[in-house]
Amino acid sequence: MAEALFEHIAYATNNGRIRPTITVLSQKSPNQNVRIWNHQLIRYAGYKTAEGVIGDSTSIAFTEECIKLGWEPRYGYFDILPIIIQLNDNPPKLFDIPDHLPLEVSIRHPHFDWFEDLQLKWYAVPIISEMSLEIGGITYTAAPFNGWYMGTEIGARNFADETRYNVLPRIASLMGLDIKSNQSLWKDRTLLELNTAVLYSFKEAGVSIVDHHTAAQQFKKFEEKELAAGRAVTGDWTWLIPPLSPATTHIFHQTYHNKVEKPNYFYQSKPY
Ligand code: ARG
């Protein structure tokens, strides 16, 4: 299974020309339950220390499990976590991802030379691995899948959220903005430059990514095609609008029926 997951990473990454990919492991049955403990196959570690969190706060609990299973923490900001696979009630097994597999993009800004001194980077392919796939009455408890990133996921959330990498104040100061005044709109100005840097860096590195305006246009086309086929589009509005400039997209000005259809992916309780 670990080999299949490594192959997924390589196939999906495709040197940057990301391929949407799904790997479906054995279905759930009374005597078989496969679980991948990771939230995503590639994810950065998070460490709770006396001086605060190092790395990705969303990974703290999982990182602690890795350490318990013998993984050596490095206490860096961007340490790629190993993969944990569990079959039934057997002890979970830990697998280091071979170094050459995860593709990462260093973040630079097209005009601000100092930006690269922040030493920000992000991995190329988001591969969700903790959800279960329900299809045709069958449940697959391990069926990791990926698309490519929309820039805002990284630039407006992963780097920007106060509970994640929280880099806005540092960038704002380097931009010479007054972070004491809400009215200076320092957060908005900083978000704009950070997201510009994310899109620019992925593009320069030849790694697939989509900006939120293009993604909204693509979604519009999808809505039209579905309508023409006599199907209603369902979705969660709060997830469909982008976190940056949402009202500039058509999605903001519409409502969506959030009906849960199948086949679909579902959350399942954490195995740890
Ligand atoms: N938002 C998640 C992240 O920032 C990834 C979720 C899947 N995203 C995707 N574009 N397929 O890591």
Side-chain angles (χ1 to χ4, degrees), residues 39-40 43 122-123 126 128 146-150 153-154 158:
H39 161 63
Q40 292 181 29
R43 196 69 162 167
W122 204 255
Y123 52 87
I128 300 291
N146 72 277
W148 49 76
Y149 266 114
M150 181 163 84
E153 298 182 83
I154 304 168
N158 302 348

Side-chain angles (χ1 to χ4, degrees), residues 13 24 51 57 68 70 72 105 164 175 189 202 233 237 268:
T13 304
V24 184
E51 288 82 48
S57 61
K68 271 191 229 160
E72 204 62 60
V105 178
R164 299 291 297 285
M175 286 173 67
R189 289 178 188 275
F202 269 64
V233 172
W237 185 89
Q268 43 190 349

